[in-house]
Amino acid sequence: MSEFTSEKKAILMEKIVSLCKRRGFIFQSAEVYGGLNGCWDYGPLGTELKRNLKEYWWRKNVQEREDIVGLDGSILTHQAVLKASGHVGGFSDPMCDCLLSKARLRADQIPPQSGTAHWYTGATHAESGWSTSHDFAVLIQAGEGEAKARKTAQQYFAQFLSDKQISPKTLELVGERLESVVDSTRFNPENGSLLTEPRAFNLMFKTHVGASSDESDESTVAYLRPETAQSIFAQFKNVLDSSRVKLPFGIAQIGKSFRNEINPRNYTFRSREFEQMEIEYFCRPEDGLRLTDEWLERRLTFYEEIGIPRDRLHIVDIPEDERAFYSQKTYDIEFEFPFGIQELEGVAYRGDYDLSVHQKATGKSFEYFDEETKEKLLAHVVEPSAGCDRTVLALICQAYDEETVTDEKGKEETRVVMRFSPRIAPIKVAILPLLKNKPELVAKAREIHQMLTPYMTTFYDESAAIGRRYRRQDEVGTPWCVTVDFETLGEKGDEWKDTVTIRERDSMRQERIAITELRNYLLDRIH
RNA sequence: GCGGGUAUAGCUUAGUGGUAAAGCCCUAGCCUUCCAAGCUAGUUAUGUGGGUUCGAUUCCCACUACCCGCUCCA
């Protein structure tokens, strides 16, 4: 994708979005009612794809490991849990808006400035009799001319003019007052304009528990969880006491989380409702950094196993000043989407921050007793946290391919192929009778279809020419098509009786295989 | 949140102040012995709500959604 221009990438993304709708992978939520901003529904094939991803993740990270157990926590979350975790107080960034340029700035990222603030209470225009009254100020730093204050203020008051023909320069400023300021963050460093007071944008969805609850009763407040991790920490002791796990061990969870994003963007990439696949891997403090690196490797291998090659992933070692204050190491795993390189997963070493805050808030011990060393300790945690919907989108973007094929007459056409790994492909095999008006072919094909359905997702199709049916399956990424033909019926000799043609999606190559071998042939390749 | 753009059938697009057009897809039938064949028939659309008008899909306003650029992404 990197060889494409941004324009071609935009077209590519449009094609992917179009295919997703046409073939039933992803629909806009409540589309018939005009859509719901930042929400998406998965159609029949998208649902299969996402299930395959989640099931493979669960199998690899829980079922095939002795040291990781699962959890399925409630989405509605006790406010105390999120107060302890810091989400209620800190899960929002105070933001300021520049009164002049309307730029939005994070309050904590504004460098402190000193100088003289020129305050005004309004402006008038003598000729037209127009006037306005707003408090405004401009910061003049040492070395800057005072004329800048008046010019900036005139521009600010000019936005209230109804007559746009009036030049800002002709406005009379009212109520000038000077104030000396030191290390102030109330002014835009770019232009000196006054900023709005910092406002908190809390990104959590809030609700009230209990049918007759009073909306103003703070004690009934609950939140839709903004991440799956907190129920793992809150249930740490219960899991420890009930499942006889020993350090190091992990608790894994797949589930929905909700963030009231100000600005959902890039198709399903940043949604307000999304699914996470998280592991909290608890360990002794001295093992944390090593395990973080090990988890990074393990996660990269996972992406390779589902068909996202390592060279399409970028590993970012987050520098200290950008990490959360409690994290001693954080890696981001990013994917080259057509709309840019974006994060799929974070692997963060969080120390004992999470258990310690819940221990402190509850006053109960979250400590682990090590039988061998006879010591009590607060476990550290390594958190590989993957975005499920983001990974689905990455799988779709990675799989999408167009190739030019030439038919027997020399005519060129485009073949759209979703090159999903067989492991995650929504449909594993399509069963096709060569012709639908030959009852023997249809009956045999249906028989094979019935034979395979208990073992994998299959699709039966008898309509249209065989070539068209192959292409349909290419476009939804079905790795194999099985065609029942006249050889199958024994009409071309006994040596071919009860064999079928199996056609491979990527190479379009065909080979003959006995019906009795079909099940194992496919199962060996989709596991 | 700011600025710009877009909204016609499942998809891609035409077009119009007065009966909305096509290709692809899809469905049914016929035909068809391996890569989107052919024939016949058929379903489906002006994002939502107002305004102007005899009449609005078209002009105006608002809303909603999506896309692009900023911003943001704890």
Side-chain angles (χ1 to χ4, degrees), chain A residues 32-215:
Chain A
V32 286
Y33 287 101
L36 183 59
N37 185 265
C39 295
W40 303 89
D41 295 341
Y42 288 90
L45 292 178
T47 304
E48 293 294 335
L49 179 63
K50 190 172 169 183
R51 280 175 60 94
N52 289 341
L53 170 64
K54 288 193 283 187
E55 281 170 11
Y56 188 66
W57 186 94
W58 194 258
R59 176 151 65 88
K60 281 301 191 191
N61 288 304
V62 181
Q63 293 171 341
E64 292 185 4
R65 292 184 66 115
E66 291 181 14
D67 59 341
I68 302 185
V69 294
L71 187 78
D72 188 358
S74 74
I75 287 171
L76 287 170
T77 304
H78 196 296
Q79 54 172 304
V81 171
L82 295 166
K83 275 182 185 151
S85 68
H87 287 90
V88 170
F91 196 66
S92 60
D93 295 316
M95 305 287 293
C96 303
D97 294 323
C98 173
L99 288 169
L100 185 65
S101 68
K102 308 297 177 199
R104 174 157 289 172
L105 306 168
R106 257 176 74 171
D108 61 339
Q109 289 181 348
I110 300 166
Q113 303 162 91
S114 304
T116 306
H118 293 239
W119 285 86
Y120 303 94
T121 56
T124 61
H125 186 247
E127 212 173 297
S128 63
W130 174 88
S131 72
T132 185
S133 166
H134 290 91
D135 282 330
F136 183 68
V138 185
L139 182 71
I140 299 300
Q141 298 188 59
E144 290 183 321
E146 298 202 347
K148 180 188 164 193
R150 285 187 286 279
K151 194 177 166 189
T152 304
Q154 284 169 330
Q155 284 171 353
Y156 167 74
F157 289 114
Q159 50 184 353
F160 300 104
L161 281 167
S162 48
D163 182 356
K164 297 295 172 195
Q165 299 301 312
I166 297 173
S167 165
K169 289 176 189 165
T170 61
L171 295 181
E172 296 282 336
L173 297 169
V174 177
E176 183 168 26
R177 170 173 66 85
L178 302 188
E179 180 193 358
S180 183
V181 296
V182 176
D183 289 342
S184 170
T185 56
R186 292 204 58 200
F187 298 91
N188 186 347
E190 288 290 314
N191 55 20
S193 164
L194 184 69
L195 301 168
T196 57
E197 293 289 334
R199 283 178 296 159
F201 290 87
N202 196 294
L203 299 185
M204 287 197 294
F205 286 95
K206 192 178 184 180
T207 189
H208 291 265
V209 173
S212 61
S213 66
D214 181 353
E215 290 276 314

Side-chain angles (χ1 to χ4, degrees), chain A residues 255-291:
Chain A
K256 288 280 180 83
S257 294
F258 303 81
R259 297 181 189 180
N260 205 350
E261 296 285 351
I262 295 164
N263 188 4
R265 257 318 156 80
N266 290 327
Y267 201 32
T268 60
F269 183 81
R270 188 182 301 148
S271 306
R272 292 206 161 105
E273 172 175 343
F274 58 97
E275 198 146 9
Q276 293 182 297
M277 305 186 290
E278 287 193 319
I279 301 161
E280 304 301 334
Y281 197 76
F282 299 97
C283 63
R284 298 185 62 89
E286 60 270 26
D287 296 330
L289 284 170
R290 174 179 58 80
L291 285 167

